[in-house]
Amino acid sequence: AAAWPVSELAGPSALPELLVAYQRGLDQGHDNDGFTAALADLVTVNREASREILQRLTESSDEPLRKNALWLLEFCVATK
């Protein structure tokens, strides 16, 4: 539930922390539906800034962080 306000207040700069929290929820068995929507919305609205941050995160030594960053990069692609 906190993902929406954090993503709106902090914007793309919060992506590293948000993705760690997102994975923690998955690890604890939560479906993260609202969190998923908040993350997708954040990067869709802030494509360029999000893309830069997410591309850096894809080089992380933390495998879940890397995989989640790759997944979220898909939402940075502009749709027609």
Side-chain angles (χ1 to χ4, degrees):
W4 286 105
V6 171
S7 66
E8 289 190 16
L9 291 171
S13 66
L15 280 168
E17 293 81 8
L18 288 169
L19 285 176
V20 168
Y22 181 76
Q23 185 61 47
R24 187 174 305 129
L26 292 174
D27 292 344
Q28 293 174 353
H30 302 287
D31 63 20
N32 280 352
D33 288 345
F35 208 153
T36 299
L39 289 171
D41 186 52
L42 170 64
V43 300
T44 300
V45 172
N46 302 283
R47 283 188 172 99
E48 290 302 316
S50 296
R51 186 179 297 119
E52 285 182 34
I53 293 166
L54 291 169
Q55 285 175 332
R56 284 197 311 268
L57 294 175
T58 64
E59 299 172 7
S60 172
S61 60
D62 181 326
E63 184 179 358
L65 180 61
R66 199 171 53 245
K67 286 182 176 181
N68 287 327
L70 283 168
W71 158 73
L72 205 49
L73 268 170
E74 295 175 23
F75 293 92
C76 292
V77 177
T79 59
K80 294 180 182 180

